[in-house]
Amino acid sequence: MTTQLPPDLPHRRTPVADARALIVAALTPLPTESVALADLAGRVVGAPVIAPHDLPRHANSAMDGYAVAADTPSPWPLSAHILAGDDPAPLVPGTAAAIATGGVVPEGADAVIPLERVEEADAVVTALAPVAPGAHIRPVGADAHAGDVVIAAGQRLTPLAASAISGLGLTAVQCARRPRVVVLTTGDELVPPGQPLRRGQIHESNSILVAATLAAAGCEIVRTGGVPDTAEATRRAFADAIADADLVVSTGGVSVGPRDHVKPALRDLGVDELFWRIATQPGQPVWCGVAADGTLVAGLPGNPLSCLVGLHLLLIPAVRALTGAAPEPQTIRAELAAPISQLPERLRAIPMRLVDGRLEQLGASLSHQLSRAAQATALALIPTGDGELPAGTVVDAVPLG
Ligand code: AMP
Ligand code: MG
């Protein structure tokens, strides 16, 4: 066998931030659609969500207790009972009204005394402590004022944010359409899980990684499928995928070996190259381009932990940009539990386990060590340099969902 040096070496490697910027500049944000409350969690809002009225709408009690006018002397005769949801009559001057949490404070009352700070006997209420005006009352607009922006455009909705929209009384909100994704895996050695392996074969694992990661990032996975290692099958699979998706992600077959058909297929299909190879370790062989219809096509490397790097550092940001959210990776800061060496020109991206705010190495620094990485909860980002970062160094890390 002759070993031929690939024609495009020595490499030009694009720093990750530059690669991300190229992707973001090439993408057109997806159109918005109306999304009903029950489906809002995980979606990105397309226009600011505005409070239609003050919240609370009416001053109400923060406690179970008694509503009084603070400047009238205790004891007070008990004159009314107010429950949450009642529309109470004005307070009879000089009296107290029993009031439940959330009950509307009657006109004429300006304070609530909690149950435990009074004595009630024979329908007379006696204060056991001084009463300050405004005490235990939730004023009108204390949560939001009419016209306030409660949720900014581009915010990804947590279940809490979706419930806040519900609390505003809205039934639907304009959100970016979910990016449609087709996932292609290449490699004639791959066998679906559940099937026996012949010598040399391995069980396929990238499609679940890519699909689950991008689904969690808010995408609709149109399909995943395996592609045989031939030029024709690769070209056909990409052509179909580009027609059906906003984002096509393949794994494997992107290098420069005789079975690596991804780049030639994409060039044949007229997909414009944005970059080839990123300055990371692992994860360097990534090809990214944009098809004539605007579809983003990413050829990720086949090794699972290499694939992970492109997914988190490039494709989740791409998905965020497609939906109008800020594209920067959502990182945390945490300290290294053990020293780790840097690389002079490449960002290292190593799966680690976050325990009590410290990043523990798992021995999963090589790109095929998927089982070792199974305990990882974060992708630690080791900045370029020529030394070793000591234990305790604080680095960025991307949480692994
Ligand atoms: P490639 O980039 O096609 O040369 O693949 C690099 C390495 O990743 C090889 O060892 C492949 O067998 C492995 N690999 C490629 N695709 C997958 C996949 N979908 N699941 C698991 N391993 C894969
Ligand atoms: Mg391959």
Side-chain angles (χ1 to χ4, degrees):
M1 193 182 125
T2 55
T3 310
Q4 239 185 341
L5 264 190
D8 51 358
L9 285 178
H11 329 324
R12 188 171 50 80
R13 291 186 286 234
T14 307
V16 174
D18 296 354
R20 207 154 45 221
L22 286 167
I23 290 175
V24 171
L27 290 180
T28 312
L30 295 172
T32 63
E33 61 189 11
S34 177
V35 178
L37 269 181
D39 302 320
L40 277 180
R43 301 293 297 262
V44 179
V45 297
V49 179
I50 310 281
H53 52 71
D54 289 339
L55 274 128
R57 230 175 156 172
H58 306 285
N60 65 78
S61 178
M63 306 283 283
D64 290 328
Y66 296 86
V68 297
D71 63 357
T72 60
S74 160
W76 305 276
L78 183 63
S79 61
H81 287 87
I82 302 168
L83 297 175
D86 289 350
D87 179 10
L91 182 70
V92 177
T95 70
I99 190 165
T101 304
V104 170
V105 175
E107 221 174 277
D110 65 354
V112 169
I113 324 173
L115 273 182
E116 57 274 19
R117 301 224 190 123
V118 300
E119 258 171 22
E120 190 202 321
D122 301 330
V124 173
V125 178
T126 307
L128 302 177
V131 187
H136 306 295
I137 289 180
R138 301 163 172 166
V140 170
D143 189 17
H145 287 107
D148 281 356
V149 174
V150 174
I151 293 169
Q155 182 175 329
R156 184 148 189 244
L157 297 174
T158 59
L160 181 64
S163 82
I165 291 171
S166 187
L168 296 176
L170 305 176
T171 56
V173 164
Q174 285 296 122
C175 294
R177 178 160 69 64
R178 292 167 66 196
R180 287 194 281 256
V181 178
V182 171
V183 182
L184 302 175
T185 57
T186 73
D188 286 346
E189 74 282 21
L190 303 175
V191 172
Q195 293 187 16
L197 298 176
R198 284 201 322 270
R199 189 172 159 82
Q201 293 182 320
I202 61 169
H203 283 127
E204 196 281 315
S205 61
N206 286 342
S207 59
I208 202 81
L209 172 67
V210 176
T213 303
L214 294 181
C219 296
E220 176 194 336
I221 307 302
V222 178
R223 65 176 177 274
T224 63
V227 185
D229 280 332
T230 70
E232 180 50 31
T234 307
R235 204 166 32 238
R236 211 168 339 110
F238 273 105
D240 291 347
I242 288 166
D244 294 343
D246 304 304
L247 168 63
V248 176
V249 184
S250 67
T251 74
V254 79
S255 289
V256 283
R259 288 277 186 90
D260 292 335
H261 299 293
V262 168
K263 282 189 275 114
L266 292 172
R267 284 181 184 136
D268 282 359
L269 292 171
V271 181
D272 272 343
E273 179 176 310
L274 290 173
F275 57 85
W276 160 228
R277 291 199 184 98
I278 56 172
T280 64
Q281 194 282 319
Q284 174 176 273
V286 177
W287 192 97
C288 226
V290 180
D293 68 354
T295 304
L296 180 69
V297 185
L300 298 180
N303 276 305
L305 300 187
S306 300
C307 180
L308 180 78
V309 174
L311 262 180
H312 283 276
L313 300 187
L314 299 176
L315 299 190
I316 290 180
V319 164
R320 292 176 59 85
L322 276 171
T323 56
E328 292 73 32
Q330 308 290 292
T331 52
I332 54 164
R333 306 268 297 156
E335 63 179 48
L336 297 169
I340 192 164
S341 58
Q342 298 171 286
L343 287 174
E345 285 167 12
R346 291 195 278 166
L347 175 78
R348 297 189 71 191
I350 312 294
M352 295 191 192
R353 180 171 48 195
L354 192 60
V355 180
D356 296 336
R358 286 161 66 85
L359 291 159
E360 295 180 352
Q361 294 179 45
L362 298 161
S365 57
L366 300 178
S367 59
H368 68 286
Q369 291 170 325
L370 178 59
S371 293
R372 291 189 184 202
Q375 307 299 319
T377 51
L379 188 62
L381 304 179
I382 310 302
T384 55
D386 10 274
E388 185 179 76
L389 297 182
T393 307
V394 174
V395 298
D396 289 331
V398 184
L400 293 177

